[in-house]
Structures are given as structure tokens and as C-alpha cells.
Amino acid sequence: GLGHIASGMSCDCLRLWSNDTDFAELLQFVSELPGGMRPALRKCVVDELRKQPELDLSALSFGFATTLPVTMIENLSNASFIAILDHIQAHFADFLRLPHYK
């Protein structure tokens, strides 16, 4: 369905939406896809988030937010940060599988 289409989205396609008012909703949808994002799409999302620091990162799924670079997690609200910690505790095995530099 739509999730398979979105997970195969190219970085160029994502960038076309980056100036759209619904971009945050698109990021939320893509970050919540079952099975996660392809690494190339994930990198593209992180790059776009860096270019638009005004975007509310709390709209991203907590599973995706746990994989953000530490410098980006520092910009989250306290409530979002606590929710991420709760997600890590509930999915600790997944957290341990992250590369050590995260």
C-alpha cells in the first residue's frame, strides 16, 4: 500500500516536499512506517531536518527519534526527550543494535 510507496521514496522526491506546509506531516508518516526507513531515506530526512531547525522534531516517531544524532536530540522538548527514554526502555534490544557512535 501507501507505506511501501513511501518507504521507497527517493531523496529528491522528499526534497520537493521540503518547502511544503505539510512537510512535517510527511516526515511523521515516513518515520512511522512499519519496518523502518531505508538508510538512504533516513539520511535524507536527517539532512532535511538539519536544514530546517524550526521543524518540530516531536512529531517524529519515537523509534526514529532515538536514531537521530545526539546534537539533534538536544533540541527536543523535555516531554519528547522523556518519551524517547521510555521508548528506549521498552525496546532496549533495538537500542543496543544501534551503531556505537549514536
Side-chain angles (χ1 to χ4, degrees):
L2 189 58
H4 290 293
I5 294 168
S7 66
M9 178 185 295
S10 71
C11 193
D12 290 338
C13 182
L14 183 78
R15 285 191 184 115
L16 287 176
W17 282 80
S18 66
N19 294 322
D20 194 281
T21 53
D22 296 330
F23 187 58
E25 289 178 35
L26 176 66
L27 290 181
Q28 181 179 5
F29 176 76
V30 172
S31 76
E32 293 173 349
L33 290 172
M37 266 185 237
R38 290 178 299 108
L41 183 58
R42 186 194 164 289
K43 180 184 180 315
C44 184
V45 167
V46 170
D47 289 346
E48 289 303 312
L49 290 171
R50 283 192 170 126
K51 291 178 191 172
Q52 299 187 44
E54 72 283 357
L55 282 174
D56 182 10
L57 299 181
S58 62
L60 299 171
S61 75
F62 299 126
F64 180 78
T66 59
T67 68
L68 289 173
V70 173
T71 54
M72 295 178 81
I73 291 177
E74 291 171 347
N75 297 329
L76 293 172
S77 68
N78 286 343
S80 293
F81 191 73
I82 289 169
I84 288 173
L85 291 177
D86 290 343
H87 178 85
I88 289 171
Q89 288 177 335
H91 302 91
F92 197 67
D94 293 337
F95 177 73
L96 292 176
R97 285 189 210 104
L98 288 173
H100 71 278
Y101 54 84
K102 296 282 181 196

